[in-house]
């Protein structure tokens, strides 16, 4: 009988993907870019002339998809929620390429009966041929119905506290009512983001927006307003609240030299939905 505690021993297949400008355009549209089709900053990611990929697109390339739904994981996937992501690039992501990755679960922590399990997993995205590493992707998820199995205790959430001074930037972004239905076409087909019945069974009033979509929106705003011309080398945050498609989001940013600290607030409910965020722009001659 499969059990969540055995996930670190699970073998994942290597996933290869050839992607091109069409995939890069779809990723930008999935974040809601193009709402103002005359805005050059948005068009840079949704129009092929001068097209640039966003760093968080690396997290959906050669992805194993919603692997936690597979029967051999032992996870009650209907109660699963993402807990955080970090993406670190070695160079700006190309708008087309041939890549491969293989996921591995690094740890499973027991948060206790009724509190779930914390799953940590990661993968490296490499080019084919040659094997040059393009990105490292680190992920965490909470299996809310799978705690109390006697595993190691989950650590306290990591991440810096936000500075007490006022934010240097406050960047608003209006999400779209149908955004989760579009974003899921980039690879995460979890029905929690599409099926009202599945969302209600998981305790939500309606389908929720992918946490990685919210992080992608933050990556776009930080890259446009706070980073240099080569964009972000690294970005990561914890998911601390639910975003519903159609919510107004506000990304609050603090600068400390090159480093950026950020959080994302759902303005409609005055709720922090991404916290402990950190980002670092590329510097020098990254290529």
């Amino acid at each position: 009988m499969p059990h969540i505690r055995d996930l670190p021993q699970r073998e994942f297949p290597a996933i290869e993907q050839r992607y091109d400008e069409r995939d890069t355009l779809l990723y930008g549209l999935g974040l809601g870019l193009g709402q103002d089709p005359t805005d050059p900053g948005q068009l840079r990611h949704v129009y092929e002339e001068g097209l640039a990929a966003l760093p968080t697109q690396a997290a959906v390339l050669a992805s194993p998809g919603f692997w936690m739904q597979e029967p051999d994981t032992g996870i009650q996937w209907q109660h699963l929620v993402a807990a955080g992501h970090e993406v670190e690039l070695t160079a700006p992501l190309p708008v087309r390429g041939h890549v491969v990755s293989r996921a591995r679960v690094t740890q499973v922590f027991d948060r206790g009966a009724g509190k779930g399990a914390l799953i940590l997993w990661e993968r490296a995205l490499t080019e084919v041929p040659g094997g040059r590493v393009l990105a490292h992707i680190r992920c965490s998820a909470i299996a809310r119905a799978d705690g109390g199995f006697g595993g190691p205790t989950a650590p306290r959430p990591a991440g810096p506290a936000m500075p007490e001074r006022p934010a240097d930037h406050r960047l608003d972004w209006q999400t779209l009512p149908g955004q989760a239905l579009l974003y899921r076409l980039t690879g995460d087909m979890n029905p929690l983001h599409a099926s009202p019945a599945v969302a209600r069974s998981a305790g939500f009033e309606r389908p929720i927006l992918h946490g990685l979509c919210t992080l992608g929106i933050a990556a776009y705003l930080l890259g446009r307003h706070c980073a240099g011309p080569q964009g972000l080398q690294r970005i990561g945050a914890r998911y601390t609240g639910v975003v519903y498609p159609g919510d107004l989001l506000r990304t609050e940013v603090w600068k400390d030299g090159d480093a950026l600290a950020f959080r994302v607030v759902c303005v409609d409910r005055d709720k922090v939905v991404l916290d402990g965020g950190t980002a670092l722009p590329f510097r020098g001659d990254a290529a």
Side-chain angles (χ1 to χ4, degrees), residues 87-238:
V87 177
E88 185 173 5
L89 303 180
T90 60
L93 188 70
V95 299
R96 60 159 47 230
H98 183 187
V99 292
V100 63
S101 76
R102 185 191 299 270
R104 72 183 189 98
V105 174
T106 57
Q107 289 178 301
V108 179
F109 294 104
D110 189 352
R111 303 172 78 228
K115 297 181 179 180
L118 175 65
I119 305 167
L120 306 183
W121 57 290
E122 64 184 23
R123 60 193 181 90
L125 187 71
T126 60
E127 284 185 320
V128 178
R132 180 174 74 118
V133 176
L134 292 176
H136 294 280
I137 301 104
R138 304 172 186 93
C139 322
S140 59
I142 297 175
R144 296 183 298 157
D146 295 298
F149 59 90
T153 303
R156 290 184 177 275
M162 296 298 101
E164 294 184 3
R165 61 182 172 85
D168 298 307
H169 298 274
R170 290 182 175 86
L171 309 168
D172 285 0
W173 187 258
Q174 181 66 58
T175 65
L176 304 173
Q179 191 161 337
L181 294 171
L182 181 57
Y183 182 83
R184 70 195 300 265
L185 299 182
T186 66
D188 185 345
M189 302 295 284
N190 186 341
L192 178 64
H193 306 293
S195 167
V198 170
R200 286 194 297 269
S201 71
F204 301 109
E205 63 183 60
R206 54 192 171 93
I208 65 176
L209 191 63
H210 305 66
L212 192 52
C213 181
T214 304
L215 185 65
I217 292 167
Y220 161 71
L221 294 170
L222 291 169
R224 178 172 182 175
H225 297 283
C226 308
Q230 296 182 93
L232 298 177
Q233 178 184 13
R234 176 174 55 80
I235 183 169
R238 292 182 287 111

Side-chain angles (χ1 to χ4, degrees), residues 39-105:
D39 179 357
Q42 294 185 44
L43 282 175
R44 186 167 182 252
H45 304 291
V46 293
Y47 176 50
E48 58 271 19
E49 185 176 321
L51 181 64
L54 287 157
T56 43
Q57 186 181 349
V60 304
L61 294 175
S63 168
F66 188 37
W67 61 267
M68 296 176 182
Q69 191 177 18
E70 297 174 12
D72 70 335
T73 64
I75 297 170
Q76 298 184 59
W77 62 266
Q78 297 89 342
H79 301 279
L80 185 85
V81 292
H85 274 90
E86 181 184 72
V87 177
E88 185 173 5
L89 303 180
T90 60
L93 188 70
V95 299
R96 60 159 47 230
H98 183 187
V99 292
V100 63
S101 76
R102 185 191 299 270
R104 72 183 189 98
V105 174

